[in-house]
Amino acid sequence: QVQLVESGGGLVQAGGSLRLSCAVSGRTFSSYVMGWFRQAPGKEREFVAAISRSGLTTYYADSVKVRFTISRENTKKTVYLQMNTLKSEDTAVYYCAASLSPTVRTGDYDYWGQGTQVTVSS
């Protein structure tokens, strides 16, 4: 029903930057709260950032608040994650997700992408 496709991952040096994109197919992208999650090898998936339907409200995990920025362009049906000052600890598969709930949240999302690998070398 709803497809989410992440892109923009890759290998980057510590201290560098990457911008992840998530293209969403579907009729009502603007009705979804969007989020980014990540999962490192052997670790549980963790919340990274979320953005309200309008894009006016954002929420971040404490570990990325200063360094990462989530944004969206509803006309392009795309959500972004700008990642700056990357650390080796940021290495993970990053997933975008969509929620039907009107409330920005850190879990309970309805649709998920396949993920994109981000590797930060030291």
Side-chain angles (χ1 to χ4, degrees):
Q1 181 182 16
V2 178
Q3 301 285 328
L4 290 76
V5 181
E6 302 94 337
S7 62
L11 176 65
V12 65
Q13 290 279 85
S17 299
L18 282 175
R19 189 192 194 197
L20 305 184
S21 299
C22 177
V24 181
S25 66
R27 294 166 49 193
T28 54
F29 173 76
S30 62
S31 70
Y32 304 140
V33 170
M34 298 297 300
W36 285 97
F37 295 77
R38 66 187 182 186
Q39 186 169 24
K43 303 291 185 181
E44 294 291 317
R45 183 177 61 196
E46 65 175 343
F47 169 79
V48 176
I51 188 166
S52 65
R53 294 175 296 181
S54 67
L56 297 177
T57 302
T58 57
Y59 187 77
Y60 299 92
D62 289 340
S63 59
V64 306
K65 275 185 179 178
V66 177
R67 300 182 297 119
F68 290 10
T69 302
I70 188 171
S71 61
R72 67 192 296 163
E73 296 184 39
N74 286 347
T75 57
K76 296 182 178 181
K77 297 183 178 181
T78 302
V79 63
Y80 305 95
L81 185 68
Q82 178 67 48
M83 306 184 295
N84 298 323
T85 319
L86 283 161
K87 307 174 181 179
S88 60
E89 297 93 324
D90 297 316
T91 296
V93 176
Y94 283 71
Y95 300 89
C96 64
S99 174
L100 297 174
S101 171
T103 303
V104 176
R105 56 176 58 191
T106 60
D108 195 26
Y109 281 69
D110 300 291
Y111 306 104
W112 294 85
Q114 295 296 320
T116 185
Q117 177 71 48
V118 172
T119 302
V120 183
S121 62
S122 59

